[in-house]
Amino acid sequence: MTTSPTPPVFRKTKLKTRMILTLGLLGALQTVLIGGFAGFYLSDSLYDEIGQRALMVAKTVAATPAVIEGVRERDIHGLNRLAERLAETNEALFIVIGDAEAIRLAHPDPSRIGHSMGDDDGDYGRKALVDGQAYVARARGSLGESMRGKAPVIVPDTGNIIGIVSVGYSLQQVETTIRRYNFVLYGVVGLMLLVTILSAIVIAGRFKRAIFGLEPEEIARLFREREATLQSVREGIIAINREGMITTGNRAAYETLDLPPEPPLAGQHVLDVLPESSLPAILESGEPDFDREIWLRGRQMVVNRLPVRQGDDIIGVVASFRLRDELDQVSRRLTRIQQYADTLRSQTHEYSNKLHTIAGLIQIGATEEALNLIGSEVSDHQALIHLLLEAVPDPVIAGCLLGKYNRAREMGLRLEIDPDSRMSDLPATLPRDQLVSVLGNLIDNALDATLANTGAGGRVQLSMTDLGQELIFEVEDQGSGIPEAERQRIFEKGVSTKDGESRGYGLHLVRQFLNQWGGSVTVDDVPEGGSRFTLYLPKIANGRAYP
């Protein structure tokens, strides 16, 4: 069985118009059906009520002693007066009394007296006269259409049926009452229909605003575009709703997280799929998180997490993530090349000055001073290189320290490395680029603080040890020191003791790295003045070997 397509004219109609027409017609149909049923039920109830009333009055009149006596004595005059009075009292159209043969003894029209009651409506009252039952009948007689209640006249002592009483109520009155009720009813129905149409307009307008004024076809197209976009993005994407249930997950998410294709991500709770996920925390805090490096399912990733808001309410979170892949490796290599280039530039600048000095000494004949300067320069570098080769066999860290040594000399400062330092027991999987970044930040901050406080001639001291289960780095400066109240704040993002924009990120990155690997850092005062930063990094990160 095939479904017939939507008529082209209706398909071209605006969604708001379609909704108004659909809801309006549905409301009109419901209102008409309810109104018709109410009208029918009202009419039927009124007819039934008037019939029961006629029956009740007929039973009462038939049981009246005066009526029983009048029928027995065939007192036509007395019965007519009594019937007339009772009809007026009970607001009946008529009360007719007949004998055991259904011959009228009392009737509003005297000419009908003495004739059979059957010539009026074809009903000879056998049900009452023979079976002794009271009943209701609807008929059109000489006085018009009426609802009639008929009851036998029974002698109490003997139980003999000696006559019949017929009480009628005009149906014209009933129809007038029904028309009056129907007028009110149809007015209410019309008002309900108007309210339904107005409600349809309001609902359609709000619905249209809720979907940003888009038509169904546009929504379908956008949905297909969204799906295509999600699947084409190389980054993994997962979205959750306010209950933490996953609503979206693209193909890259499965591949990046190494998840099986079944069951689908959508419909599962995020903590059931990723127990270590922090998306619920973002749902609670409402704070976005960008370019955070984390470990997830044994893989190092860069994650962005953004809350989705509807007005002031947070209705979900969207996360995008990617592996620190070859592009990240290239970026880190470029960074190291930049560091090497800065080191070479510093050395070139420094040695250029030294060569100019040596050339000047030779020109004025101070050859001995020139030789001493050359010897001192060679001796210092040889000593530093020899120390680094023995204490820090890792070329990346050694290269970083050599670069910072030359930068210090360029600034007119001294970077002194404790000759007893040792840093050879580095875990093979420890990310060297992150360690270099952390160590470089601490040394750069120390150099800047020393230069700002002492000017040229100041010194920064570095000591390192890899004994025990931790890697320990100590960096001392000759700066102005850090107040105890500020020692925790300086690790917050954007907080810095230096002036200028784009500050306050170095120590924040240090704290991020330490939080990730289970390390710690302390800040102490140096007795001679300045600050000491001590970095503790476990050889086993967070209770497990570095992945």
Side-chain angles (χ1 to χ4, degrees):
M1 179 178 179
T2 59
T3 303
S4 59
T6 305
V9 175
F10 192 75
R11 189 167 56 244
K12 293 179 181 179
T13 308
K14 295 288 186 180
L15 175 62
K16 185 175 181 179
T17 305
R18 281 189 250 175
M19 289 188 65
I20 293 173
L21 291 174
T22 303
L23 292 176
L25 291 174
L26 181 61
L29 179 61
Q30 291 178 335
T31 304
V32 169
L33 289 177
I34 293 173
F37 174 77
F40 173 78
Y41 182 77
L42 176 64
S43 300
D44 190 65
S45 297
L46 284 174
Y47 282 125
D48 183 65
E49 181 183 351
I50 203 70
Q52 292 301 317
R53 183 178 179 184
L55 183 62
M56 184 64 67
V57 173
K59 287 181 177 180
T60 303
V61 172
T64 303
V67 172
I68 297 174
E69 186 63 27
V71 172
R72 178 187 293 170
E73 299 295 332
R74 299 186 69 84
D75 184 5
I76 296 175
H77 179 70
L79 288 175
N80 275 280
R81 282 190 304 157
L82 182 59
E84 184 179 353
R85 187 170 68 253
L86 291 175
E88 183 178 354
T89 301
N90 290 281
E91 299 180 349
L93 177 64
F94 61 83
I95 294 180
V96 176
I97 302 174
D99 61 14
E101 302 298 328
I103 303 299
R104 296 185 186 97
L105 300 176
H107 192 280
D109 184 1
S111 64
R112 296 275 179 169
I113 296 174
H115 296 280
S116 174
M117 297 174 65
D119 62 7
D120 190 25
D121 56 6
D123 182 6
Y124 292 92
R126 296 186 183 279
K127 194 172 183 181
L129 292 173
V130 177
D131 300 331
Q133 296 181 5
Y135 63 97
V136 177
R138 180 175 176 175
R140 178 178 296 275
S142 59
L143 297 178
E145 190 173 13
S146 61
M147 186 68 73
R148 305 177 180 188
K150 296 186 179 185
V153 179
I154 301 174
V155 178
D157 297 336
T158 62
N160 294 329
I161 299 174
I162 61 174
I164 183 172
V165 174
S166 176
V167 178
Y169 281 88
S170 174
L171 291 184
Q172 185 176 0
Q173 296 175 345
V174 177
E175 291 171 355
T176 301
T177 303
I178 291 174
R179 282 195 296 269
R180 185 172 67 250
Y181 285 162
N182 283 343
F183 178 78
V184 176
L185 178 63
Y186 294 148
V188 172
V189 168
L191 181 61
M192 290 176 59
L193 182 58
L194 179 61
V195 171
T196 300
I197 294 174
L198 292 177
S199 300
I201 294 174
V202 173
I203 293 172
R206 290 188 176 181
F207 184 78
K208 190 75 171 179
R209 287 193 296 272
I211 60 174
F212 305 101
L214 298 174
E215 296 296 321
E217 295 77 12
E218 294 175 314
I219 295 175
R221 185 176 66 252
L222 288 175
F223 177 78
R224 289 191 292 269
E225 291 176 357
R226 167 186 171 274
E227 285 300 309
T229 301
L230 282 175
Q231 300 306 328
S232 66
V233 172
R234 298 291 299 275
E235 291 190 350
I237 295 176
I238 286 180
I240 65 172
N241 59 19
R242 69 180 75 200
E243 286 79 28
M245 305 300 293
I246 298 176
T247 58
T248 300
N250 66 348
R251 186 183 301 109
Y254 288 89
E255 297 173 354
T256 305
L257 297 173
D258 194 22
L259 295 171
E262 295 293 337
L265 288 176
Q268 300 187 68
H269 197 281
V270 65
L271 294 182
D272 293 336
V273 180
L274 303 170
E276 64 271 42
S277 173
S278 59
L279 289 184
I282 302 295
L283 197 62
E284 291 292 331
S285 67
E287 296 296 328
D289 193 12
F290 298 106
D291 296 328
R292 174 68 62 88
E293 294 186 7
I294 65 171
W295 281 89
L296 197 61
R297 294 180 65 86
R299 298 183 175 191
Q300 191 175 13
M301 302 182 187
V302 179
V303 180
N304 294 286
R305 291 167 286 205
L306 187 68
V308 180
R309 297 180 181 272
Q310 186 174 26
D312 295 331
D313 296 331
I314 300 174
I315 61 173
V317 180
V318 176
S320 64
F321 46 91
R322 67 181 185 276
L323 293 172
R324 294 190 64 182
D325 53 11
E326 295 179 357
L327 291 177
D328 295 318
Q329 297 292 340
V330 171
S331 176
R332 290 194 292 271
R333 289 171 184 169
L334 290 175
T335 300
R336 287 199 292 269
I337 291 172
Q338 181 65 42
Q339 292 176 345
Y340 297 152
D342 291 341
T343 300
L344 291 175
R345 180 183 58 80
S346 299
Q347 290 179 334
T348 300
H349 181 71
E350 181 182 358
Y351 283 118
S352 177
N353 291 334
K354 295 292 176 60
L355 287 174
H356 290 154
T357 302
I358 292 171
L361 290 173
I362 293 175
Q363 288 176 359
I364 64 175
T367 55
E368 185 174 350
E369 286 78 0
L371 290 174
N372 289 337
L373 180 60
I374 294 172
S376 174
E377 192 68 28
V378 171
S379 175
D380 289 346
H381 270 81
Q382 287 297 328
L384 176 63
I385 292 173
H386 181 72
L387 172 62
L388 293 178
L389 287 176
E390 287 191 352
V392 189
D394 189 277
V396 176
I397 298 177
C400 171
L401 296 178
L402 182 59
K404 298 305 178 184
Y405 175 84
N406 290 319
R407 181 173 184 268
R409 296 190 62 175
E410 186 181 36
M411 297 169 67
L413 305 174
R414 299 192 311 278
L415 174 60
E416 298 179 355
I417 301 177
D418 187 348
D420 293 328
S421 293
R422 288 293 180 274
M423 193 54 62
S424 58
D425 189 17
L426 289 170
T429 53
L430 175 66
R432 300 298 194 269
D433 57 318
Q434 295 189 32
L435 179 59
V436 164
S437 176
V438 168
L439 188 58
N441 274 317
L442 292 179
I443 295 174
D444 285 339
N445 288 344
L447 293 174
D448 292 339
T450 301
L451 182 63
N453 190 50
T454 65
R459 74 175 187 276
V460 172
Q461 294 178 304
L462 170 66
S463 65
M464 303 172 289
T465 179
D466 58 4
L467 297 176
Q469 298 300 316
E470 292 181 315
L471 309 176
I472 303 175
F473 300 85
E474 286 187 358
V475 180
E476 293 184 7
D477 61 48
Q478 292 181 330
S480 57
I482 300 174
E484 189 170 353
E486 298 291 323
R487 291 178 185 175
Q488 291 302 320
R489 290 190 67 250
I490 59 175
F491 292 97
E492 296 178 7
K493 189 175 182 179
V495 176
S496 175
T497 58
K498 294 179 280 188
D499 297 331
E501 298 180 357
S502 300
R503 299 287 188 178
Y505 291 92
L507 292 180
H508 175 67
L509 294 176
V510 171
R511 172 59 59 86
Q512 277 191 317
F513 174 75
L514 294 177
N515 289 341
Q516 181 178 346
W517 297 108
S520 61
V521 61
T522 61
V523 184
D524 302 299
D525 291 329
V526 177
E528 297 81 8
S531 301
R532 178 190 300 113
F533 283 76
T534 306
L535 184 72
Y536 301 91
L537 191 64
K539 293 179 181 179
I540 298 179
N542 289 323
R544 55 185 174 83
Y546 288 100

